[in-house]
Amino acid sequence: MLATKDKAEAGTDTAPIASAGRADGRDAFSLEVQSPDSKISDYLEQHLELQRYRQLDDLGANEVSRLMVAAESNARELLNTLGYFTPTLTLSLQETPEDKKAPRRVRVEVEPGPLTKVDKVAIEFDGAVADDPKDAAQRSGIRAGWRLPAGQTFTQSRWDGAKSTGIRALAAKRYPRARIKDSQADIDADAAKASLAVRYDSGPAYRFGPLTVSGAQRYDVDAARRIARLPVGQDYDEQKLLDAQLRLASSGYYDSVFLTMDTSEGVDPNAAPVTAQVREAPLQKVVLGVGFTSDSGPRVSMDHIHNQMPILGWRAVSKFSYDKNTQLLNTEWRALPDDSGWHWFDLGEIKRENNAGTYTVDSARIRSGRAKADGHIDRSVFAQYDYSMSKGVDPPPSASSLSINWGWTGRYFDNSAAPTKGMGLAVELGLGYTLLGERLPYTRAYGRWLGILPIGSVDTPTGAARRPRLAMRLEGGAVSAKDEAQIPQTQLFLTGGDTTVRGYSYRQIGVDADNGQILAGRYLGVASIEWQQPIVYDQKLTDYEGVLFVDAGSVADRPGNLQPKIGAGFGVRWRSPVGPVQADLAYGFDVKDVRLHLRFGFTF
């Protein structure tokens, strides 16, 4: 019976011993590992301590033989970490004077024996979590989520990972001072079984105390508390602390934010103070930007941010952007949130779209209402004025409207910048009234959904870091009104392009008029399915992924006239340090043409 107690994985230090090198340019010896499993051979060749001595210039056969004695013990330790506790090892030294790499070869033959399986697991708790009935679900969740259950192969890395996952789950709620009090893996090498035991000590339960702000000079400290909305008096929850930090960081008032709870000795756990260490953003700044998409070509933009407008004290963000399809100038003013997290906002915008169907649309928009961003959910309620004037051959008539709108967006992705799983859902509902021509009511509904589902695995010597995925996307919209209602073009639908239906140009899919024009329509339907496959090269997971996709979309003035236009193709994704870069080659079956689509970043 072999017992291991919090033992770190052996043999991971492979840094070579410094040496000037041999005069003939050859190593002192070469190493060859033979095993029925190539992964075992690769692992031993990479991690055996013997590798550190290959380049010593004065190492003879006798010295190599002495090193081989220690190498056998080292090899057994390494095999133990992989779950092989009864290996058969044969080490031999062969002279290879004609070999250009080394004058002798160390050969290690490995018969690994049976893999050790976990036989039973015992997870126990000490501290407040052990007896409190309200923690029953947390205790059960840690046991149910144990990552090395009975029947699985025992390895040192899996054992360490399972313990770490358990302590993170315990420390994430109520018990930030949780620790591993004791752990032990009893190995029955003859039976190839492992009995695991771990005991967690939760320490005392904590509640959020008052928030103090350190580093504030320019902006109101009380405003920071309202933005953070830390749930003072509630049980400690790591996610709630991160949410408060994210709200402060994304407010625009701070360049950096870091929240910590004081859990030191002597602090009352029932009111543990939280400190927000902030570095404030400048009062005003100008941001210049350039970009490129295959839909719109090069783009330049300029943003002006004023974090504390005179008199009002609101935050103003004004933007100008220009590309071949869209020229935009807008400004949005936002008040500080109240204690509930809601804030007032106003927006004014003028825009020209040069490729809205086959005509140009000049539009204006004024919006005023209330909004709230709460973690992964955004909400808004607002009144809006829209005006549009179309130019071109037989364009739609000018139109304007007033509407009352409600919007809701939920983002449930594992990573907001480059998600690998999760979903997003957005819904908009509006009730409007036209102001030009015959004055008539209308309703507008719009929704979009994106789901990313991991499927399968990618096998590498170090394990699967990213899984293949299926990304599914749906989008739909409807404007309901009498035929004679003059609806502003900005309230109607067009589709096609990099982010909708690939294989078609920007907003190329609309209502096909009798005169050959493409017009915005009252109904929209889009669906897409995409397979995303991480690329492995030389047994290593790269930052690239290959994709296959099929998109379909349609726009019509009546639901029964929706006829999907399909695009399909393949592409590549690069997970760059600053966000995903996407390149897709798609064929549009309706236009019978191939288009290259380029895009940077992810948004939902």
Side-chain angles (χ1 to χ4, degrees):
M1 184 77 72
L2 174 67
T4 66
K5 203 169 184 179
D6 291 337
K7 182 176 180 180
E9 186 165 343
T12 56
D13 181 6
T14 58
I17 294 176
S19 171
R22 294 171 58 89
D24 59 5
R26 296 191 295 174
D27 292 340
F29 61 88
S30 61
L31 176 64
E32 178 185 342
V33 180
Q34 288 193 343
S35 169
D37 189 336
S38 62
K39 292 181 180 179
I40 294 177
S41 302
D42 294 341
Y43 183 76
L44 291 180
E45 286 180 359
Q46 182 179 359
H47 293 294
L48 273 170
E49 290 282 337
L50 193 62
Q51 290 280 29
R52 303 176 61 196
Y53 302 93
R54 283 189 304 109
Q55 295 180 352
L56 289 180
D57 58 354
D58 58 350
L59 198 64
N62 291 335
E63 287 81 2
V64 174
S65 297
R66 285 195 291 270
L67 289 172
M68 289 169 60
V69 176
E72 180 178 358
S73 176
N74 180 219
R76 291 185 182 278
E77 291 181 356
L78 289 169
L79 289 167
N80 288 173
T81 68
L82 297 180
Y84 299 99
F85 288 89
T86 56
T88 300
L89 299 175
T90 304
L91 280 75
S92 59
L93 181 61
Q94 303 171 345
E95 296 296 327
T96 55
E98 304 302 324
D99 193 330
K100 295 181 180 180
K101 293 182 179 180
R104 56 190 61 85
R105 178 187 300 120
V106 175
R107 184 171 180 175
V108 182
E109 297 181 50
V110 180
E111 182 58 46
L115 265 173
T116 298
K117 303 285 186 177
V118 176
D119 181 43
K120 56 185 177 181
V121 180
I123 302 174
E124 303 296 336
F125 298 92
D126 284 345
V129 74
D131 303 314
D132 196 329
K134 68 186 299 184
D135 294 320
Q138 190 171 5
R139 295 192 300 267
S140 299
I142 292 172
R143 290 188 172 109
W146 179 253
R147 298 182 62 179
L148 191 56
Q152 283 200 3
T153 300
F154 174 88
T155 69
Q156 185 67 41
S157 60
R158 288 180 178 179
W159 171 225
D160 292 339
K163 290 184 293 182
S164 298
T165 300
I167 195 62
R168 285 197 300 269
L170 180 57
K173 291 187 177 181
R174 301 191 72 210
Y175 301 103
R177 294 185 60 183
R179 64 186 180 91
I180 299 175
K181 185 176 182 178
D182 184 49
S183 66
Q184 185 167 303
D186 288 332
I187 308 298
D188 186 342
D190 294 334
K193 293 180 179 180
S195 297
L196 309 181
V198 59
R199 182 175 293 274
Y200 296 114
D201 185 354
S202 68
Y206 278 77
R207 293 178 181 270
F208 287 116
L211 175 69
T212 59
V213 181
S214 176
Q217 296 178 343
R218 185 179 296 114
Y219 306 123
D220 183 21
V221 171
D222 187 59
R225 295 190 184 100
R226 297 203 306 270
I227 293 171
R229 300 201 305 281
L230 187 74
V232 176
Q234 295 186 18
D235 287 335
Y236 168 80
D237 188 317
E238 182 183 50
Q239 188 58 53
K240 291 180 180 178
L241 189 70
L242 292 174
D243 288 344
Q245 179 174 296
L246 178 61
R247 283 190 285 268
L248 282 171
S250 60
S251 68
Y253 291 99
Y254 307 101
D255 287 336
S256 67
V257 179
F258 186 64
L259 264 63
T260 55
M261 172 183 273
D262 187 354
T263 59
S264 58
E265 293 291 341
V267 171
D268 182 5
N270 290 313
V274 177
T275 299
Q277 183 67 45
V278 302
R279 180 163 58 87
E280 293 182 328
L283 184 64
Q284 296 188 65
K285 66 178 177 180
V286 174
V287 180
L288 302 177
V290 296
F292 177 86
T293 67
S294 52
D295 280 340
S296 303
R299 181 184 68 254
V300 296
S301 65
M302 180 177 69
D303 292 10
H304 175 261
I305 300 171
H306 197 309
N307 275 330
Q308 205 167 58
M309 295 171 61
I311 303 176
L312 281 177
W314 290 19
R315 184 170 189 263
V317 179
S318 303
K319 179 175 183 176
F320 168 77
S321 67
Y322 185 98
D323 61 43
K324 71 176 182 179
N325 286 328
T326 305
Q327 297 84 51
L328 170 72
L329 178 64
N330 73 13
T331 183
E332 183 175 4
W333 301 357
R334 292 190 177 190
L336 287 166
D338 58 25
D339 291 334
S340 66
W342 287 88
H343 66 267
W344 289 99
F345 72 93
D346 295 317
L347 176 139
E349 176 180 283
I350 56 175
K351 180 166 61 174
R352 168 169 289 180
E353 293 181 283
N354 299 329
N355 195 21
T358 50
Y359 48 87
T360 298
V361 173
D362 293 333
S363 65
R365 171 172 289 173
I366 299 173
R367 178 183 292 179
S368 182
R370 301 258 287 168
K372 179 180 181 179
D374 187 8
H376 55 268
I377 296 176
D378 295 344
R379 302 175 179 88
S380 61
V381 179
F382 55 90
Q384 181 168 291
Y385 168 79
D386 286 279
Y387 172 81
S388 69
M389 180 177 65
S390 303
K391 299 176 181 178
V393 178
D394 194 18
S398 298
S400 65
S401 71
L402 281 174
S403 61
I404 298 174
N405 302 269
W406 171 84
W408 184 95
T409 300
R411 301 175 181 88
Y412 305 88
F413 299 108
D414 62 335
N415 185 306
S416 59
T420 59
K421 65 178 180 180
M423 61 162 284
L425 176 66
V427 179
E428 298 174 12
L429 300 174
L431 177 63
Y433 197 73
T434 62
L435 301 178
L436 292 180
E438 187 176 352
R439 297 190 175 187
L440 296 168
Y442 69 91
T443 60
R444 185 180 188 272
Y446 172 78
R448 55 193 170 93
W449 173 82
L450 172 64
I452 302 176
L453 178 65
I455 298 177
S457 62
V458 173
D459 293 327
T460 65
T462 58
R466 292 198 313 277
R467 300 173 61 187
R469 300 176 298 280
L470 196 63
M472 298 163 285
R473 176 165 45 90
L474 295 173
E475 185 179 6
V479 174
S480 179
K482 290 185 176 181
D483 292 345
E484 56 269 26
Q486 293 178 210
I487 310 294
Q489 294 295 298
T490 51
Q491 295 276 283
L492 301 178
F493 304 105
L494 289 161
T495 193
D498 297 342
T499 60
T500 56
V501 184
R502 289 161 287 188
Y504 300 82
S505 62
Y506 177 66
R507 308 189 79 184
Q508 185 181 5
I509 300 174
V511 177
D512 296 323
D514 294 337
N515 60 2
Q517 297 277 71
I518 298 176
L519 308 176
R522 296 187 176 188
Y523 294 90
L524 165 72
V526 174
S528 172
I529 186 167
E530 178 175 285
W531 176 257
Q532 303 170 352
Q533 175 70 41
I535 295 175
V536 175
Y537 177 75
D538 194 22
Q539 295 188 322
K540 294 181 181 178
L541 192 63
T542 70
D543 289 327
Y544 293 88
E545 298 180 345
V547 301
L548 297 171
F549 59 86
V550 177
D551 301 337
S554 181
V555 174
D557 277 332
R558 287 180 171 79
N561 293 337
L562 288 169
Q563 298 293 327
K565 296 185 177 181
I566 298 173
F570 61 91
V572 66
R573 305 284 184 269
W574 174 40
R575 298 169 65 89
S576 79
V578 292
V581 178
Q582 308 177 26
D584 297 321
L585 196 63
Y587 177 77
F589 288 88
D590 188 75
V591 294
K592 296 180 174 58
D593 194 13
V594 175
R595 291 187 63 86
L596 176 65
H597 296 272
L598 301 174
R599 188 185 176 205
F600 174 77
F602 170 84
T603 57
F604 182 85

